[in-house]
Amino acid sequence: MFKKILIANRGEIACRVIKTARRMGIATVAVYSDADARAPFVRMADEAVHIGPSPASESYLIADKIIEACKATGAEAVHPGYGFLSERTSFAEALAKENIAFIGPPVNAIAAMGDKIESKKLAKEAGVNVVPGFVGEIRDTEHAVEISNEIGYPVMMKASAGGGGKGMRLAYDEKDVREGFESVKREGLNSFGDDRVFIEKFILNPRHIEIQILGDQHGNILYLNERECSIQRRHQKVVEEAPSPFVTPKMRKAMGEQCVALSKAVGYYSAGTVELIVSGADPTGESFYFLEMNTRLQVEHPVTEAITGIDLVEQMIRVAAGEKLAITQDDVKIDGWAIENRVYAEDPYRGFLPSTGRLTRYKPPVPGWTDDGAENGRRGVDGVRVDDGVYDGGEVSIFYDPMIAKLITWGETRDEAADLQVAALDRFELEGLGHNIDFVSAIMQHPRFRSGELTTGFIAEEYPEGFHGAPADEAVTRALAAIAGFMASAEADRARRVDGQLGDRLDPPAKWQVTIGDASHKVKLGRKHIKVDGEKVDIALEYTPGDRLVVAEIDGSELAVKVAKTRTGWRMTTRGAIHDVRVLPWHVAPLSAHMIEKIPPDLSKFLICPMPGLLVALHVGAGDKVEAGQPLATVEAMKMENILRAEKTGVVKSVNAAQGDSLAVDAVILEME
């Protein structure tokens, strides 16, 4: 077994590998860029080596720097995590030349399966169903248009070396191909150093199901069941679960055996994932197609660990050290249900724009996951596990992907796992930047999600007008009104105790008008009860002014509410929605009708940068006439390109930014006449 390994990655996956290595008695080495100098994974490792500036292209993607760090520290092996160099054959070959073990598959398997174009050719030759498409070299945009027209729309354009949702564009017509092809090439080049693109038919109403593979260097290959990853946004997975609500035992066996056969054809070992696109319209499950193989550990591996009890990182290390798998296919079971939500630094209330900045408050519902080696330990604390790589006061940088943490829950049933997600998300305190906690909570509660009728179009279909918060039922609204009234009385009680008040015998107000949305409620506090609109609410809670989280017991069930003080009340967040709550004493409330409404300024003439990022392209100049929907500028943030379009027809009056500028959020890019 290795005595020391280096982790050629960052963030939560670096922390994840370090924890398991520590339990195995293996020393660890971290490598870090300028942006990650104070990151938790750097402190957690036994040794840490600085490898360059913040951009990944100048640090984490430089193989020579990783190898130098191995030599300097005496690391015998490298775990690449996912992304960065994890699927680059040149990196694995360079390690082999230096007699450093690569904790991953053999080079020939990475070459055959890691390249989307080559893997499709190989799968086709092996008799595996593949999605119709063009797997040759695409010369230019005109060639891409010609190919797309032949295949038939819609088509998907993908960077050959892509992954994690990067370098992908869906095109419904020729115009989309012309607009998106060059962007896909650039994203592939910037993120993976490879600008090759392939095009394939986009299957409508598809399910994204993947099979986890695990093999050793002695010819043994197993499949560790499947994961359902259909809920995606911009082709980036948001929710993953294991097992899939769609897959039957017969389907699981057919998919698993086919994926094992494909893996054996390339002499695969270590952990890997075969991704399949499955027609949800075919209940037999026979309409599944090979999509690609990820020759590395997946972001969503914890859900497989939770239902099988198998530590995938440990197995990868043991396999790389030459050990045989200690389990057989018959040992692989399915125990319960696991769901993972990715907590991202993106604002669903503003069209999911990337959000960077400092985490002024970071408090997950349970402490970060620790690897204690117990089989059930992979399920976290009472079925709730948090994998993260950030800290309270840390910064989410523009240089890397927007993931903050992964929230994994395990239950005996799918509904139990989903209920645990909702409860845990309500307790997840995260401030300082936009995040998607409300959004994933809304998905967990959505009737269609609960029914298991999932497709990769779920988000686009269920939130066509964007996300505005999960709908709150009457019970939640009444509970919020009662909590707001209680907090208002507690604040007033503290205020009356401040020295210098007019007398000291005044009781705090106990009657409040609480306005939530368009509805106002009369809240009255008695000595042993709270009434909302004249009806008693069976509620028990504690609140001290300044608390940010209030946990109330209502009718025997728990409701956790994050609260933030505003000028006239509170901003209350629970069950996947933000509620701006106004609280006024009964005798003051009628006067609010006489207040003059403040009209916001008209900003429609300006193109405003919606997030911090790099202006990679400016498509118009002063004096140009533009049409509604026309691209005006392209801003890159967190390795993704975002096209900003004209909201209406007009003429560009002035341009305030230049290509290559780093823009702050709300910076004015140009002004219309």
Side-chain angles (χ1 to χ4, degrees):
M1 181 50 66
F2 307 118
K3 292 181 179 177
K4 184 184 289 189
I5 65 173
L6 181 145
I7 298 94
N9 218 296
R10 61 177 299 280
E12 60 87 16
I13 186 57
C15 293
R16 164 74 184 87
V17 176
I18 290 168
K19 288 171 185 175
T20 290
R22 179 184 292 163
R23 174 174 58 78
M24 296 173 70
I26 301 171
T28 56
V29 180
V31 291
Y32 65 94
S33 69
D34 290 346
D36 285 333
R38 298 180 181 178
F41 76 92
V42 176
R43 298 195 304 270
M44 194 180 293
D46 296 298
E47 297 174 70
V49 179
H50 177 252
I51 55 169
S54 300
S57 59
E58 299 175 44
S59 51
Y60 297 107
L61 287 170
I62 306 293
D64 289 346
K65 292 186 176 182
I66 306 296
I67 292 170
E68 285 171 19
C70 288
K71 290 179 178 178
T73 58
E76 305 158 84
V78 171
H79 195 300
Y82 34 71
F84 295 144
L85 298 170
S86 62
E87 295 179 281
R88 192 168 291 186
T89 53
S90 59
F91 179 56
E93 288 169 342
L95 289 173
K97 284 180 183 176
E98 299 294 341
N99 204 28
I100 301 168
F102 179 68
I103 302 176
V107 171
N108 66 295
I110 301 173
M113 305 304 286
D115 184 305
K116 292 182 176 64
I117 293 175
E118 294 304 316
S119 67
K120 281 183 180 296
K121 288 179 180 176
L122 191 146
K124 201 170 184 179
E125 289 168 7
V128 178
N129 286 347
V130 296
V131 180
F134 183 84
V135 292
E137 180 131 1
I138 300 172
R139 296 186 300 274
D140 52 27
T141 301
E142 289 304 321
H143 192 200
V145 169
E146 183 184 320
I147 291 164
S148 301
N149 288 338
E150 285 178 10
I151 295 171
Y153 296 98
V155 297
M156 179 69 77
M157 298 178 288
K158 292 185 181 180
S160 175
K166 307 294 186 298
M168 301 173 76
R169 286 288 190 285
L170 180 59
Y172 286 96
D173 52 34
E174 185 175 314
K175 177 173 171 284
D176 289 346
V177 176
R178 291 187 184 280
E179 279 189 12
F181 181 72
E182 289 300 326
S183 277
V184 173
K185 287 189 73 170
R186 279 198 303 271
E187 284 185 10
L189 187 63
N190 292 340
S191 293
F192 308 101
D194 186 341
D195 68 352
R196 289 177 301 157
V197 174
F198 72 95
I199 300 176
E200 66 184 6
K201 178 76 173 175
F202 183 71
I203 295 173
L204 296 171
N205 302 321
R207 298 184 81 115
H208 183 120
I209 294 171
E210 58 190 34
I211 300 291
Q212 175 68 57
I213 294 294
L214 180 64
D216 62 23
Q217 298 186 47
H218 305 276
N220 303 303
I221 300 182
L222 315 175
Y223 64 91
L224 307 185
N225 307 315
E226 80 285 349
R227 295 185 288 260
E228 172 87 55
C229 306
S230 295
I231 297 184
Q232 305 175 4
R233 196 189 65 76
R234 289 182 70 173
H235 318 297
Q236 178 89 32
K237 297 166 190 173
V238 177
V239 181
E240 299 105 348
E241 58 182 308
S244 164
F246 183 72
V247 173
T248 63
K250 181 183 176 184
M251 290 164 59
R252 182 174 298 118
K253 190 170 187 290
M255 291 175 176
E257 288 177 352
Q258 185 167 328
C259 294
V260 166
L262 193 61
S263 302
K264 283 185 175 179
V266 292
Y268 198 88
Y269 57 77
S270 193
T273 294
V274 180
E275 300 197 347
L276 306 170
I277 191 165
V278 184
S279 171
D282 182 0
T284 67
E286 294 175 4
S287 302
F288 63 87
Y289 306 92
F290 172 78
L291 199 58
E292 63 184 357
M293 183 172 189
N294 291 315
T295 57
R296 54 170 168 79
L297 191 67
Q298 293 278 93
V299 175
E300 57 272 23
H301 72 273
V303 293
T304 296
E305 293 183 332
I307 65 164
T308 63
I310 297 168
D311 185 324
L312 285 168
V313 172
E314 177 183 349
Q315 293 301 319
M316 290 180 77
I317 294 171
R318 292 191 181 282
V319 166
E323 293 186 14
K324 262 189 176 182
L325 291 178
I327 52 174
T328 65
Q329 191 64 57
D330 291 338
D331 296 323
V332 180
K333 308 295 183 187
I334 297 178
D335 181 13
W337 212 287
I339 298 175
E340 174 181 295
N341 275 303
R342 301 187 186 190
V343 178
Y344 282 137
E346 61 184 15
D347 191 344
Y349 293 102
R350 299 181 67 204
F352 296 94
L353 292 172
S355 180
T356 58
R358 192 162 301 285
L359 287 165
T360 56
R361 186 170 181 82
Y362 178 75
K363 190 176 181 183
V366 297
W369 178 75
T370 55
D371 187 356
D372 62 2
E375 183 175 318
N376 288 343
R378 283 180 268 288
R379 297 171 182 168
V381 180
D382 297 326
V384 180
R385 168 177 165 180
V386 174
D387 281 22
D388 59 16
V390 299
Y391 63 99
D392 199 8
E395 192 169 345
V396 176
S397 164
I398 67 170
F399 297 104
Y400 314 115
D401 68 43
M403 187 187 291
I404 297 172
K406 301 185 305 197
L407 178 66
I408 304 102
T409 54
W410 177 90
E412 296 285 352
T413 65
R414 186 169 184 265
D415 277 341
E416 189 179 321
D419 288 342
L420 273 173
Q421 280 283 342
V422 176
L425 289 163
D426 278 348
R427 287 177 171 267
F428 209 129
E429 298 180 62
L430 207 163
E431 297 172 15
L433 40 71
H435 56 76
N436 69 336
I437 287 176
D438 287 353
F439 180 63
V440 291
S441 178
I443 292 174
M444 294 295 98
Q445 301 169 66
H446 201 289
R448 182 174 161 191
F449 173 79
R450 291 299 180 117
S451 74
E453 296 297 321
L454 311 178
T455 70
T456 54
F458 177 95
I459 290 174
E461 292 158 10
E462 298 302 325
Y463 302 97
E465 303 300 322
F467 178 70
H468 306 290
D473 60 26
E474 185 182 347
V476 170
T477 302
R478 284 170 52 79
L480 290 177
I483 293 168
F486 185 90
M487 291 193 301
S489 288
E491 296 272 354
D493 187 50
R494 182 181 68 166
R496 78 186 178 94
R497 298 173 189 275
V498 176
D499 188 43
Q501 301 293 308
L502 292 174
D504 56 3
R505 297 183 181 179
L506 293 174
D507 289 329
K511 297 179 180 179
W512 305 92
Q513 177 179 288
V514 178
T515 303
I516 304 174
D518 297 327
S520 292
H521 306 272
K522 295 282 189 181
V523 178
K524 184 178 180 181
L525 277 71
R527 290 192 175 277
K528 294 184 179 179
H529 65 264
I530 300 177
K531 286 185 176 180
V532 177
D533 298 327
E535 293 184 20
K536 283 186 180 180
V537 176
D538 184 9
I539 185 170
L541 74 153
E542 291 183 4
Y543 172 73
T544 301
D547 285 352
R548 297 170 186 245
L549 182 71
V550 176
V551 181
E553 189 173 310
I554 306 165
D555 297 325
S557 61
E558 188 179 279
L559 182 70
V561 184
K562 290 174 284 241
V563 297
K565 194 82 175 71
T566 62
R567 190 173 58 84
T568 57
W570 282 270
R571 173 163 276 205
M572 305 176 74
T573 306
T574 190
R575 293 295 190 265
I578 296 171
H579 303 273
D580 286 313
V581 181
R582 188 177 68 183
V583 186
L584 297 172
W586 277 14
H587 66 280
V588 173
L591 302 176
S592 64
H594 303 287
M595 298 295 289
I596 298 171
E597 187 177 350
K598 186 176 180 181
I599 300 172
D602 179 16
L603 299 175
S604 62
K605 293 191 302 181
F606 302 98
L607 179 67
I608 295 173
C609 188
M611 79 293 251
L614 180 70
L615 183 59
V616 294
L618 196 58
H619 306 296
V620 295
D624 289 355
K625 185 178 180 182
V626 298
E627 301 293 332
Q630 180 178 335
L632 301 179
T634 302
V635 177
E636 181 187 290
M638 290 182 165
K639 301 193 290 187
M640 298 289 282
E641 289 192 358
N642 302 271
I643 299 174
L644 308 182
R645 302 176 184 274
E647 293 185 2
K648 57 186 178 181
T649 301
V651 176
V652 178
K653 180 181 177 182
S654 62
V655 177
N656 295 12
Q659 185 172 321
D661 285 356
S662 290
L663 303 175
V665 66
D666 293 335
V668 175
I669 299 172
L670 57 83
E671 182 180 353
M672 307 291 289
E673 288 184 356

